[in-house]
Amino acid sequence: MAKRVRVVRMSVEQPLWRALTAYRVLTMLYAILLAVFGREKYERPWVAIAFLAVMTLWTLATLPKVSGAAACTKRFLGADLTLALIGILVTPLADFQAQHMDGPTLPSIWTAGSVLAFAIKGGWRWAAFASTFVAVANLIERAQPSRDTLHNVLLVWVASIAIGYVVEVARASERTLARALEIEAATRERERLARDIHDSVLQVLAMVQRRGTAIGGEAAELGRMAGEQEVALRTLVSSGLVPPTRVSEDAAEGAVVRTVETDDDEDPPAATDLRALLAPHAGSRVTFAEPGAPVLLAPEAARELAAAVGAALDNVRVHAGEGAQAWILVEDWPDEAIVTVRDDGPGIPEGRLAQAEGEGRLGVALSIRGRLRDLGGTAELISVPGQGTEVELKVPKVSRGKAGSVR
């Protein structure tokens, strides 16, 4: 079945750009209403009308420019700030008393939108740059600035810098999160490769070593060489030496990148009956008990769970002996599937699993627990020396891992 990969870019900046778009439109309407209700005070109303007309056309025409960081260019920011500064400086031409009163300028609080665009685009340094020009323009427009004027100028300057700083912190957090997701994905891929190697190459090398030693002669030398390669490969797997995952360009820019695999077909893949995958393990020394109805799981979940059961049976053959008896019990519950693998071997001595992991023997850690963890399930191992070992594997029907869900 063909698959396509879709990359979803998520950023905390996007809501800020949407808020800025709404702010520019609302403050444009506010400035127009102020001019309409205060039209009697204008000695030259045509100046106010001309500027507000230009501001309205500019605001509506440049709405796409404030839809995101990529569209908001330096050239646009410079032109937008210039228009705001012109509006402040021409206010006394329309209202002669504006220099001696604390009334609003022609653009009013629309000017703050230009400063906020600088803050969201470039952080606190850009915000400080833009707000400084606005502050100077306001002080020039007021021939004798009052306490309220100074207070408003300082408020805009501090608020814009604070918003710019918050944006920079958010970007740094996004980059950290994106890198953590990349590392997690690389770690899961390493574990998957290690499981595949353990289930195939390492098992074959271990068998060659045992058989070669038992046969003797030239076969013993072959077994010794296979044993050396097994140790070297286990060391390589346990050290996690695989090529590093490249950080995507979107992640480097501070976005959280999520890769989603979707099928071209609308229908989800058909569920797999777990019993069909486990039944081949039944034999003279393996008893298989199943429910009477199909145990349906997502295909990948069923395959991974069956592989974990196979790894548990491999451990029985290797550690409990060729004559050990094993039992597989499958249980189907509404929310989860449970598979129990039990044997009548000598059991696992206390501390042996930790020692095996230290030696690079990661069968239980990777082939069993690692698989179940990726599926959102659990693997519990109970062993009493002299009384055998029991491994209980639980997988939820709606997997929280990569396997998907079956409904």
Side-chain angles (χ1 to χ4, degrees):
M1 182 178 298
K3 288 188 176 183
R4 52 187 174 87
V5 178
R6 178 168 54 92
V7 177
V8 181
R9 179 187 175 94
M10 300 173 293
S11 174
V12 296
E13 290 183 32
Q14 205 55 42
L16 295 177
W17 288 111
R18 288 196 292 266
L20 178 60
T21 301
Y23 178 86
R24 288 170 63 86
V25 174
L26 292 176
T27 53
M28 176 198 71
L29 296 175
Y30 178 71
I32 294 174
L33 290 176
L34 285 179
V36 170
F37 288 111
R39 60 185 180 276
E40 295 84 1
K41 69 177 181 177
Y42 292 121
E43 289 82 4
R44 296 174 179 170
W46 62 269
V47 174
I49 294 174
F51 173 78
L52 291 175
V54 172
M55 187 188 74
T56 300
L57 293 175
W58 172 262
T59 301
L60 297 178
T62 58
L63 286 180
K65 290 290 185 180
V66 290
S67 61
C72 188
T73 62
K74 292 181 180 180
R75 180 177 298 180
F76 162 74
L77 289 175
D80 196 56
L81 180 62
T82 300
L83 180 62
L85 297 179
I86 292 174
I88 295 173
L89 295 176
V90 302
T91 299
L93 297 179
D95 181 8
F96 296 159
Q97 301 298 320
Q99 289 186 322
H100 307 288
M101 301 177 63
D102 288 328
T105 60
L106 286 178
S108 184
I109 57 176
W110 182 88
T111 304
S114 300
V115 178
L116 291 176
F118 272 84
I120 300 174
K121 173 69 176 182
W124 71 269
R125 293 176 180 84
W126 287 33
F129 173 82
S131 58
T132 299
F133 277 93
V134 172
V136 172
N138 275 281
L139 294 177
I140 293 175
E141 186 266 338
R142 305 293 185 188
Q144 297 176 346
S146 64
R147 180 184 300 176
D148 289 340
T149 300
L150 294 176
H151 176 268
N152 292 335
V153 166
L154 182 62
L155 180 62
V156 172
W157 196 73
V158 172
S160 61
I161 292 178
I163 292 175
Y165 179 75
V166 170
V167 170
E168 289 189 1
V169 172
R171 284 176 179 157
S173 300
E174 283 185 330
R175 286 192 293 270
T176 301
L177 178 58
R179 181 56 182 163
L181 292 176
E182 294 279 353
I183 293 174
E184 181 185 7
T187 301
R188 288 183 179 274
E189 181 63 14
R190 289 190 185 105
E191 291 183 355
R192 186 190 66 79
L193 292 174
R195 287 196 297 266
D196 292 343
I197 292 173
H198 176 273
D199 292 347
S200 57
V201 181
L202 291 178
Q203 296 286 2
V204 172
L205 290 175
M207 182 186 68
V208 171
Q209 182 188 19
R210 291 194 303 271
R211 296 293 177 86
T213 302
I215 296 174
E218 293 183 358
E221 178 64 17
L222 181 61
R224 183 189 65 79
M225 295 173 62
E228 292 176 354
Q229 294 302 313
E230 180 195 4
V231 172
L233 187 55
R234 287 187 186 276
T235 303
L236 182 64
V237 170
S238 61
S239 64
L241 297 178
V242 297
T245 301
R246 180 180 65 85
V247 180
S248 64
E249 182 179 350
D250 286 335
E253 293 178 358
V256 178
V257 179
R258 182 180 60 191
T259 301
V260 182
E261 288 190 357
T262 57
D263 293 326
D264 291 336
D265 300 332
E266 294 183 359
D267 295 334
T272 299
D273 187 357
L274 180 63
R275 303 178 305 167
L277 300 180
L278 297 181
H281 291 298
S284 59
R285 299 197 178 275
V286 178
T287 302
F288 179 55
E290 57 173 305
V295 181
L296 300 179
L297 290 175
E300 188 173 356
R303 288 193 298 268
E304 291 291 291
L305 181 53
V309 172
L313 292 175
D314 288 339
N315 287 336
V316 173
R317 286 190 289 270
V318 173
H319 301 292
E322 295 291 340
Q325 188 75 27
W327 292 265
I328 302 175
L329 173 62
V330 180
E331 301 176 76
D332 187 18
W333 295 90
D335 298 329
E336 62 183 359
I338 303 176
V339 180
T340 304
V341 180
R342 183 171 58 87
D343 65 70
D344 60 355
I348 302 175
E350 185 176 357
R352 177 63 185 125
L353 290 179
Q355 179 184 355
E357 291 187 20
E359 296 173 352
R361 300 178 179 275
L362 305 176
V364 174
L366 292 179
S367 291
I368 300 179
R369 287 177 178 159
R371 281 191 165 95
L372 271 293
R373 184 187 63 243
D374 288 350
L375 297 173
T378 60
E380 184 178 357
L381 189 146
I382 302 173
S383 181
V384 178
Q387 299 183 22
T389 302
E390 180 177 303
V391 180
E392 185 180 69
L393 311 174
K394 294 182 180 180
V395 173
K397 292 293 184 65
V398 180
S399 176
R400 297 186 297 272
K402 61 184 180 181
S405 62
V406 174
R407 298 185 182 277

